Amino acid sequence: MDPAAEALAAGVLAGERRALARAITLVESSRREHQLRAQSLLEALSPHAGRSLRLGVSGAPGVGKSTLLEALGVHVAEEGRRVAVLAVDPSSAVSGGSILGDKTRMERLAQHPNAFIRPSPSRGTLGGVAEKTREAILLCEAAGYGVIIVETVGVGQSEIAVAGMVDMFVLLQLPHAGDELQALKKGIIELADVVVINKADLDARAAELARAQVQNVLTLLAPASPEWAPPVLAVSALTGAGVPGLWNEVTRFEAAMTASGELQARRRRQAVDWMWGLIDVELRARFRRHPAVRDSLDRLTAAVSRGALTPSAAALELLAAARENT
Ligand code: GDP
């Protein structure tokens, strides 16, 4: 490992926030020399990773994710656990920049000595989840953060991606009739280990009604784990009511799933999926770079979209082309 990467690794292991921030920037860089350095950094730090609870939090824009994460994060940090929030910045897809950096969101948490907040640009292939979120989780763990929260905007694909990289998935909903059906339609509610009905302070009766409805829907679904029936909680992120109760459910989940070995099994499945995800990305890139594929890709794509060629004939021809001279 080069001396710069070695110094960075030492800084991360010492729990220095600036080193951690720089390390995440390095793994997010698409420059070739940065990628090589990032790879050796990740190799060096991965033996120190894995000892955390990884939490995914998702919901539609405006549901109260950052307000809840601030309240929950401060609660956890006050208990003495170090908490890192990897927030996927919903604005950056449009503006190309990050507005989270101005600290208008999660201001109190950002100032807490036990907390680290990282906004990540949401460019990438996963519909809002930064491509390097898994690597960022690993780096936060190596820096000694015991609770890692990945925040994502609810757009379907990104929720599935986040659920595939965390131990526990928390879905936020508003107490409006119909919301629960939306999540059900998208197949998202099946991913939830806890559902939070937020803004219960606005209308306690509506919140309780929504809570009971969602709980009903959940009992109709086959549980993802025999050890855990996903609870539905009414919470107010703004007043903090119900936030300690939410944290209580999180720790109860952690204890039950660890004792049964399911948490470890989930992580093993995720590690294998991650490997295949990386292989898929690389194979696709190589396929597209292949000279014989490049020669005929546009022509065959146009033929398929015109209906002049069946998708399977085009795929067979391209796959055959990719075998030439390799
Ligand atoms: P996000 O887009 O999901 O991150 O949502 P925000 O956390 O930015 O919240 C959106 C708006 O809802 C803000 O104006 C918050 O102050 C407000 N809000 C969030 N949680 C609550 C809550 O529990 N009760 C009430 N009344 N307002 C809330």
Side-chain angles (χ1 to χ4, degrees):
M1 192 164 38
D2 67 63
E6 219 160 281
L8 201 51
V12 171
L13 282 176
E16 290 165 15
R17 282 200 260 189
R18 273 192 54 204
L20 176 58
R22 279 177 46 221
I24 296 176
T25 303
L26 184 68
V27 301
E28 284 177 346
S29 168
S30 50
R31 281 172 59 181
R32 185 83 190 131
E33 76 262 29
H34 288 172
Q35 285 179 355
L36 292 174
R37 189 179 295 161
Q39 196 52 43
S40 61
L41 184 70
L42 290 166
E43 293 289 335
L45 292 178
S46 49
H48 304 276
R51 285 181 291 270
S52 80
L53 179 69
R54 304 167 184 167
L55 207 62
V57 174
S58 179
V63 70
K65 291 179 297 300
S66 48
T67 310
L68 182 72
L69 290 187
E70 163 123 311
L72 189 69
V74 168
H75 179 77
V76 175
E78 289 290 305
E79 278 192 345
R81 284 180 85 166
R82 296 181 71 205
V83 54
V85 177
L86 303 172
V88 173
D89 182 345
S91 69
S92 59
V94 182
S95 68
S98 172
I99 57 155
L100 292 186
D102 63 9
K103 295 193 177 169
T104 51
R105 302 169 92 226
M106 298 181 242
E107 213 167 329
R108 274 178 61 220
L109 185 61
Q111 283 163 14
H112 201 289
N114 281 340
F116 173 82
I117 299 180
R118 172 71 181 201
S120 281
S122 62
R123 76 186 140 73
T125 52
L126 296 174
V129 182
E131 259 170 62
K132 299 300 170 88
T133 304
R134 281 192 175 89
E135 285 84 349
I137 291 174
L138 189 152
L139 292 170
C140 290
E141 290 176 346
Y145 288 88
V147 178
I148 319 279
I149 303 177
V150 182
E151 175 199 356
T152 182
V153 186
V155 292
Q157 219 191 348
S158 67
E159 288 158 310
I160 293 168
V162 165
M165 58 180 83
V166 296
D167 301 322
M168 184 178 192
F169 187 69
V170 178
L171 182 66
L172 260 69
Q173 300 267 283
L174 289 174
H176 297 150
D179 267 9
E180 72 280 11
L181 294 178
Q182 287 233 313
L184 187 64
K185 236 188 276 171
K186 287 192 292 179
I188 299 305
I189 210 149
E190 280 116 318
L191 302 173
D193 297 303
V194 172
V195 178
V196 170
I197 312 292
N198 191 34
K199 307 199 185 184
D201 58 291
L202 291 178
D203 185 343
R205 268 189 54 206
E208 178 47 33
L209 195 66
R211 203 200 61 72
Q213 278 176 345
V214 176
Q215 190 78 73
N216 248 340
V217 168
L218 284 174
T219 53
L220 298 176
L221 299 171
S225 156
E227 303 296 326
W228 185 254
V232 185
L233 310 172
V235 159
S236 169
L238 200 63
T239 68
V243 171
L246 170 60
W247 182 244
N248 199 37
E249 290 299 323
V250 173
T251 50
R252 210 165 61 79
F253 175 90
E254 184 181 24
M257 299 292 275
T258 305
S260 69
E262 279 192 62
L263 205 70
Q264 300 84 329
R266 201 177 259 200
R267 284 194 176 187
R268 285 195 294 270
R269 278 197 306 276
Q270 289 173 346
V272 173
D273 288 347
W274 186 6
M275 178 190 82
W276 277 110
L278 294 172
I279 291 172
D280 286 344
V281 168
E282 176 60 23
L283 282 181
R284 253 173 178 278
R286 281 192 206 176
F287 181 80
R288 285 176 172 277
R289 278 200 305 268
H290 193 287
V293 170
R294 278 218 308 247
D295 284 348
S296 45
L297 189 58
D298 286 350
R299 180 175 54 82
L300 292 173
T301 306
V304 169
S305 75
R306 273 203 314 275
L309 190 65
T310 63
S312 58
L316 282 175
E317 189 172 336
L318 286 166
L319 289 166
R323 276 199 296 272
E324 285 167 20
N325 308 319
T326 50

